[in-house]
Amino acid sequence: MKKAKLLSRLRGRWPGTGWAVSLEEAATVRSMKRGHRMPRATPAYSLKFRIIRKALTEEKRVSTKTSAADLVTETDHLVEDLIISELRTRFPSHRFIAEESAASGAKCVLTASPTWIIDPIDGTCNFVHRFPTVAVSIGFAVNQELEFGVIYHCTEERLYTGRCGRGAFCNGQRLRASKETDLSKALVLTEIGPKRDPATLKLFLSNMERLLHAKAHGVRVIGSSTLALCHLAAGAADAYYQFGLHCWDLAAATVIIREAGGIVMDTSGPIRTGEPERTSGGWNVPETLQH
Amino acid sequence: QIIRKALTEEKRVSTKTSAADLVTETDHLVEDLIISELRTRFPSHRFIAEESAASGAKCVLTASPTWIIDPIDGTCNFVHRFPKRLAITVSIFGIHSWIAFGDMEMMCTGSHRQTPQRGLGQCGGGQRLCLGAPKNLSKALVLTEIGPKRDPATLKLFLSNMERLLHAKAHGVRVIGSSTLALCHLAAGAADAYYQFGLHCWDLAAATVIIREAGGIVMDTSGGPLDLMSCRVVAAGTQEMAVLIAQALQTINYGRDDEK
């Protein structure tokens, strides 16, 4: 969708709101890396956050994707189009993996090319219900390695950032992950995931049961995997696990957690090379989980 | 302010009824502060407060004006510095079986205050709280809390309640770690229902007023009227939703606040 057309459509929907289409990434990179120029970013809050905040108070047309619990709204599409069009203007050779494009059939293959990995609204179910836990997540990879990530908590106005070798921050404050190793003192976060068939639910609940039997302090489900992972990076929780999230939920948060000193791995166990497909943990959770 | 400072410091943590039922010095400090301040102003009033009750004070609700206090709701979150869900809840119970006044503050998040009074349902900041009106379990966002008991039988009941709601195609179930804040989300229309076994009168007292003033329903899990001391609750935007939730639940027995 052309930028001008998008803007005029947005102006029509929300007259009176100021529009300034600018990127918000907090990291500014100037060095050349392996022949790929890292994108220069401007620290400025973006229009897309305002779209989401405003839309939080309005009626939404909601449709479903893979299941009755897998929701998508117009705002998901709008925000994603906006992000991609803006990035494409600046970086025409870059590639994109984004949630709604993938749902429309675009392939999700990570190549060596500089690639933006985008979730326009993480926590769409919360968004639909106006439950105030909603985020935008943008990750960036080069040579199939994650380089930086940005996650914005839309209602609490918190910007989480992480860049390889440069640390992780939330609104300027350095993030440090928890060093807890004892499951019986841990606060564990997770998400239910989109599948709601009886067999899946049984597995999900039995995983939760196992962790609670191990005397975990608590298990929390907040409805946004990216924000839950940010809490982990901030040291406000000790572990996160999930089945049923996607690369666009993980990409930015993985950098942020690792730069905060945490671990992100596959649910099957030790760290593997390449993109982790599933979840993350502060300690060795895998043996307690059923897949 | 005490809490904000404590969020960044080491805490001495002890446990109450189970490994998951935490209490810190700050809980005690805040409660003492609130009670001493209120006692100075209202020397004839009575108090039911979480940490006093844990130390053995009786939780009997009489006809006297009674302040019902939870100094920190979400202590587990507090210990872990889980920053989002934390509340101090204070309410006054003016007339027997009628909650006259609810006052709730969310600290450490810099967020909104909610201060309704009987007949005025409103939120500090001018925004009137209002509930949504879904009647169908299949599009509902439901909030709950695990509760302090972690024995295998209780966990099985807790998880099977969750399972039943997810089978009914609820959009989602959320566990945020603070019952009072979850109830506030309900009052604000950000969720459709809340249920819990294992909470206390001080978690319920203020939030009940807020939800009812926002047009919602607060009742017992059996479907009958709310019993403040029964350690259980169902709350929802509509009567229909509350009844649907109540019907889906199996009871988890936590006794009563006024029998401990």
Side-chain angles (χ1 to χ4, degrees):
Chain A
M1 187 186 252
K2 291 217 172 18
K3 195 158 94 182
K5 207 167 152 187
L6 177 62
L7 280 177
S8 74
R9 190 173 146 189
L10 290 169
R11 279 194 190 108
R13 272 176 69 97
W14 294 295
T17 308
W19 301 107
V21 185
S22 64
L23 278 176
E24 89 301 314
E25 281 96 24
T28 305
V29 184
R30 267 178 293 189
S31 59
M32 306 283 280
K33 184 164 177 165
R34 291 180 212 165
H36 292 280
R37 183 113 180 258
M38 297 291 267
R40 182 159 302 164
T42 326
Y45 287 110
S46 164
L47 136 97
K48 45 190 158 306
F49 309 146
R50 267 175 282 161
I51 297 176
I52 295 178
R53 269 212 294 282
K54 184 145 203 313
L56 262 178
T57 57
E58 289 175 356
E59 282 292 314
K60 301 172 233 322
R61 273 203 295 278
V62 181
S63 36
T64 62
K65 290 192 287 194
T66 63
S67 77
D70 193 8
L71 307 179
V72 65
T73 69
E74 300 176 302
T75 315
D76 291 74
H77 291 289
L78 266 170
V79 173
E80 184 168 303
D81 290 344
L82 197 70
I83 296 173
I84 293 182
S85 72
E86 179 66 19
L87 289 170
R88 225 171 225 146
T89 311
R90 293 191 184 207
F91 312 109
S93 65
H94 288 191
R95 302 177 73 116
F96 296 88
I97 295 174
E99 177 166 20
E100 305 315 330
S101 314
S104 310
K107 293 252 177 273
C108 275
V109 179
L110 188 63
T111 66
S113 305
T115 307
W116 298 86
I117 306 171
I118 299 164
D119 189 346
I121 299 184
D122 183 54
T124 296
C125 181
N126 286 350
F127 178 58
V128 167
H129 287 271
R130 298 188 193 123
F131 192 74
T133 301
V134 172
V136 183
S137 175
I138 302 177
F140 182 77
V142 174
N143 291 329
Q144 296 184 316
E145 284 188 28
L146 293 167
E147 290 294 340
F148 69 77
V150 175
I151 296 172
Y152 184 68
H153 190 317
C154 299
T155 51
E156 291 181 15
E157 300 193 10
R158 279 205 280 254
L159 186 69
Y160 295 86
T161 60
R163 206 172 102 211
C164 263
R166 302 290 188 103
F169 298 86
C170 173
N171 288 356
Q173 265 199 310
R174 185 117 199 183
L175 297 176
R176 299 210 190 279
S178 139
K179 290 297 158 203
E180 187 58 67
T181 54
D182 184 355
L183 199 42
S184 74
K185 293 190 175 67
L187 184 64
V188 184
L189 312 187
T190 187
E191 294 297 326
I192 304 174
K195 290 210 292 187
R196 300 295 167 86
D197 57 283
T200 301
L201 287 178
K202 275 224 166 344
L203 280 175
F204 169 77
L205 292 167
S206 81
N207 280 335
M208 224 171 127
E209 189 174 19
R210 226 168 283 119
L211 290 169
L212 290 167
H213 272 153
K215 304 267 181 267
H217 273 175
V219 178
R220 303 276 178 266
V221 177
I222 65 172
S224 161
S225 44
T226 51
L227 286 177
L229 290 164
C230 286
H231 286 314
L232 182 65
D238 304 296
Y240 182 86
Y241 70 94
Q242 194 188 337
F243 299 94
L245 76 175
H246 299 279
C247 55
W248 44 79
D249 297 315
L250 272 175
T254 297
V255 184
I256 294 171
I257 291 170
R258 285 174 174 165
E259 286 302 313
I263 309 291
V264 185
M265 62 160 132
D266 187 71
T267 51
S268 60
I271 297 166
R272 298 179 171 177
T273 54
E275 295 292 301
E277 281 167 15
R278 286 173 286 193
T279 67
S280 64
W283 78 89
N284 207 10
V285 134
E287 65 270 11
T288 59
L289 296 179
Q290 275 184 303
H291 290 230
Chain B
Q1 278 154 325
I2 299 175
I3 297 184
R4 258 193 218 102
K5 191 165 195 302
L7 256 186
T8 56
E9 287 174 357
E10 283 293 312
K11 302 173 238 311
R12 270 202 297 278
V13 181
S14 38
T15 63
K16 289 192 291 194
T17 63
S18 79
D21 194 8
L22 306 178
V23 66
T24 69
E25 299 175 303
T26 315
D27 290 73
H28 290 290
L29 263 172
V30 173
E31 183 168 307
D32 292 344
L33 199 72
I34 296 175
I35 292 182
S36 69
E37 182 68 26
L38 289 170
R39 221 170 228 148
T40 314
R41 296 184 186 213
F42 309 108
S44 66
H45 288 190
R46 303 176 73 113
F47 296 87
I48 295 174
E50 177 166 22
E51 305 315 329
S52 315
S55 313
K58 293 250 175 276
C59 277
V60 179
L61 192 60
T62 65
S64 309
T66 308
W67 295 87
I68 306 177
I69 299 163
D70 187 347
I72 299 183
D73 184 56
T75 296
C76 180
N77 285 353
F78 180 55
V79 166
H80 287 270
R81 301 193 192 114
F82 196 69
K84 295 155 33 95
R85 312 299 171 194
L86 211 331
I88 305 177
T89 153
V90 176
S91 77
I92 182 160
F93 199 88
I95 296 176
H96 189 54
S97 83
W98 183 69
I99 299 177
F101 178 79
D103 179 10
M104 192 170 309
E105 283 194 345
M106 267 160 64
M107 296 181 68
C108 310
T109 60
S111 254
H112 53 281
R113 290 158 160 251
Q114 306 182 58
T115 322
Q117 280 177 293
R118 209 46 162 151
L120 298 175
Q122 66 179 23
C123 156
Q127 221 189 347
R128 197 181 172 100
L129 298 175
C130 63
L131 293 173
K135 297 183 171 57
N136 193 339
L137 207 44
S138 75
K139 291 192 170 62
L141 184 65
V142 184
L143 311 187
T144 188
E145 294 298 326
I146 303 175
K149 290 210 292 189
R150 300 294 166 88
D151 56 283
T154 300
L155 287 179
K156 276 219 165 345
L157 282 173
F158 169 76
L159 293 168
S160 81
N161 281 337
M162 225 170 125
E163 188 175 18
R164 224 167 286 116
L165 291 171
L166 291 168
H167 272 151
K169 304 268 181 268
H171 269 173
V173 177
R174 302 278 176 266
V175 176
I176 65 172
S178 163
S179 43
T180 42
L181 282 177
L183 290 164
C184 285
H185 283 313
L186 179 63
D192 303 303
Y194 181 86
Y195 71 93
Q196 194 189 339
F197 297 94
L199 75 177
H200 298 279
C201 56
W202 46 77
D203 298 316
L204 270 177
T208 298
V209 183
I210 293 172
I211 293 172
R212 286 175 174 165
E213 289 304 315
I217 308 291
V218 185
M219 62 158 130
D220 187 69
T221 51
S222 64
L226 174 72
D227 180 351
L228 196 61
M229 297 295 173
S230 65
C231 295
R232 59 196 205 186
V233 71
V234 170
T238 61
Q239 178 78 17
E240 293 88 339
M241 176 67 73
V243 166
L244 284 171
I245 300 276
Q247 283 171 347
L249 298 177
Q250 279 183 298
T251 301
I252 304 175
N253 190 0
Y254 272 91
R256 297 179 59 82
D257 280 329
D258 50 10
E259 281 165 9
K260 288 169 189 160

